Amino acid sequence: MKIGQVFSCKEGRFNVNADGEYFLCLVRGKVTKTIGKVKVGDFVKIDENNLTIEEIIPRKNDLIRPSVANLDNLLICVSSLPEPDFTIIDNLIIMAQRNNVTPIIVVTKDDLGQDKLTKRLEENYSGLNIKIIVTSAKQDKTNNLISLLEDKTSAFAGSSGVGKSSLINSLIKANIKTSELSGIGRGKNTTTSSQIYLINKARVLDTPGFSSLTHFAKTPEEFLDLYPDIAKFKVGCRYKTCNHLDKSPDDCAVIRALEENEICRERFDRFIKGYKLLTGRAQKFHKIHKQEEKK
Ligand SMILES: Nc1nc2c(ncn2[C@@H]2O[C@H](COP(=O)(O)OP(=O)(O)OP(=O)(O)O)[C@@H](O)[C@H]2O)c(=O)[nH]1
Ligand SMILES: [Mg+2]
Ligand SMILES: [Zn+2]
């Protein structure tokens, strides 16, 4: 038996790195039955003679999108091309922080000029103390990123075409496949599965791009705490159950903070939009439930 880490998976076979040696393994049915799917990033016990994964070591964390395990950093890649979706950035941050993974925003393609976007990101996320690193794969501008990766496991995440694979190529002079954007400025989902690359003492994951991600809150009440930079003001609200929606600044400390520019207006608007969506859904559910009770 050896312990190793799953570096990649193709057609049901997992490439496991154990002490620098690679073993292409199948998974025992009992493992999948009891724990579920093996993920890239998993530490596993392997039978090196049978080339089988016998056990998954309990995960430090387990992300849904990208679907990888045991991370230290989530590198949230953002660029002006393809156009960024700030709701996805919000939700990636929520997912990372809930899993004890450090979110880091990586602005890509700085050679195209990303000052406006970087400023907007700073305004949106300064309340969360998240590092924002500006890079360009094209100009090999990645030095500011390297020191954050040492001795850590970090996954590049974000929309298709934002330049995740290109950044890894720039970091390790590798030759991972990349693709031009489509005519309408979208990525082409070039990377189709996650993979770990070793860069000295850093483990870096390339992952497939995606175009949607939810926050996973089930109730409006739960949602209110997902934006800590906004929620921290609620101690000052007059009513304990304040939802900060259409409230007067006299009653609501969140609205006061917003008026004093202590909360970013754009981020607050997304917060309210998300909250309203959930309350709408909850009311609809309630209505259907009541109708069924009457029947
Ligand atoms: N100008 C410029 N273009 C870049 C840079 N980095 C990547 N690109 C281009 O952006 C396109 C998409 O890059 P990829 O690295 O394939 O993007 P990805 O995020 O890996 O995309 P998926 O694998 O589909 O998720 C390619 O045409 C790259 O040449 C950069 O620093 N500057
Ligand atoms: Mg890619
Ligand atoms: Zn309030």
Side-chain angles (χ1 to χ4, degrees):
M1 284 285 204
K2 279 180 185 284
I3 291 183
Q5 187 173 29
V6 176
F7 267 43
S8 64
C9 165
K10 273 214 176 93
E11 288 150 14
R13 280 178 193 271
F14 295 84
N15 200 11
V16 179
N17 177 329
D19 305 322
E21 234 185 303
Y22 288 89
F23 299 87
L24 203 55
C25 297
L26 288 169
V27 188
R28 283 249 189 246
K30 63 170 188 195
V31 176
T32 321
K33 247 182 226 155
T34 49
I35 308 179
K37 265 172 77 174
V38 174
K39 291 188 168 192
V40 171
D42 267 333
F43 288 96
V44 290
K45 275 191 190 157
I46 60 165
D47 179 332
E48 69 270 33
N49 299 314
N50 279 333
L51 292 176
T52 45
I53 293 178
E54 301 288 325
E55 203 179 315
I56 303 176
I57 313 282
R59 292 169 177 148
K60 184 164 86 173
N61 49 54
D62 180 2
L63 301 196
I64 297 202
R65 201 168 284 179
S67 180
V68 292
N70 300 318
L71 293 187
D72 299 302
N73 296 323
L74 186 69
L75 308 170
I76 303 172
C77 298
V78 191
S79 169
S80 58
L81 195 74
E83 219 174 283
D85 180 333
F86 274 65
T87 304
I88 293 184
I89 305 174
D90 289 350
N91 291 341
L92 278 168
I93 293 170
I94 292 167
M95 183 186 65
Q97 290 183 331
R98 291 198 141 192
N99 280 283
N100 277 326
V101 176
T102 307
I104 296 169
I105 294 176
V106 176
V107 178
T108 60
K109 311 188 188 183
D110 191 40
D111 53 289
L112 300 179
Q114 306 291 351
D115 290 355
K116 218 168 122 192
L117 173 66
T118 307
K119 190 162 173 277
R120 191 172 157 208
L121 287 162
E122 279 163 3
E123 283 163 6
N124 271 269
Y125 300 111
S126 62
L128 290 173
N129 277 327
I130 293 179
K131 280 200 178 80
I132 300 177
I133 311 291
V134 181
T135 66
S136 164
K138 198 168 183 180
Q139 297 174 325
D140 279 333
K141 183 178 163 186
T142 51
N143 276 344
N144 44 4
L145 191 59
I146 291 169
S147 62
L148 300 173
L149 307 179
E150 215 172 284
D151 288 322
K152 300 258 166 38
T153 304
S154 312
F156 285 93
S159 318
S160 176
V162 77
K164 302 178 290 297
S165 301
S166 302
L167 269 179
I168 300 180
N169 280 340
S170 160
L171 284 165
I172 54 172
K173 311 287 172 268
N175 197 14
I176 309 169
K177 194 172 171 224
T178 64
S179 296
E180 300 285 316
L181 301 192
S182 72
I184 51 167
R186 294 245 181 94
K188 289 182 180 161
N189 294 99
T190 309
T191 304
T192 51
S193 63
S194 297
Q195 178 159 347
I196 299 184
Y197 295 89
L198 280 174
I199 312 173
N200 300 324
K201 276 156 72 190
R203 279 155 208 255
V204 172
L205 280 84
D206 194 11
T207 73
F210 48 84
S211 53
S212 70
L213 177 69
T214 166
H215 46 68
F216 303 109
K218 290 199 175 60
T219 63
E221 293 70 36
E222 198 187 329
F223 183 83
L224 287 178
D225 285 328
L226 293 185
Y227 286 58
D229 49 331
I230 296 175
K232 72 176 182 194
F233 291 101
K234 74 177 181 189
V235 287
C237 295
R238 188 184 295 262
Y239 305 104
K240 232 181 153 177
T241 54
C242 184
N243 64 4
H244 331 303
L245 186 68
D246 304 324
K247 297 282 182 291
S248 110
D250 296 337
D251 290 338
C252 179
V254 170
I255 298 294
R256 282 203 294 280
L258 188 68
E259 290 187 351
E260 284 156 19
N261 293 325
E262 285 180 76
I263 294 173
C264 169
R265 166 73 60 177
E266 203 189 354
R267 184 157 150 88
F268 180 77
D269 288 346
R270 291 194 302 275
F271 166 75
I272 290 298
K273 195 172 159 197
Y275 177 77
K276 279 185 175 166
L277 250 163
L278 269 184
T279 33
R281 233 177 270 162
Q283 277 166 358
K284 218 169 159 186
F285 177 77
H286 206 65
K287 232 170 149 180
I288 294 169
H289 224 63
K290 277 217 152 153
Q291 274 171 354
E292 279 177 354
E293 268 172 19
K294 269 189 204 160
K295 277 183 193 165

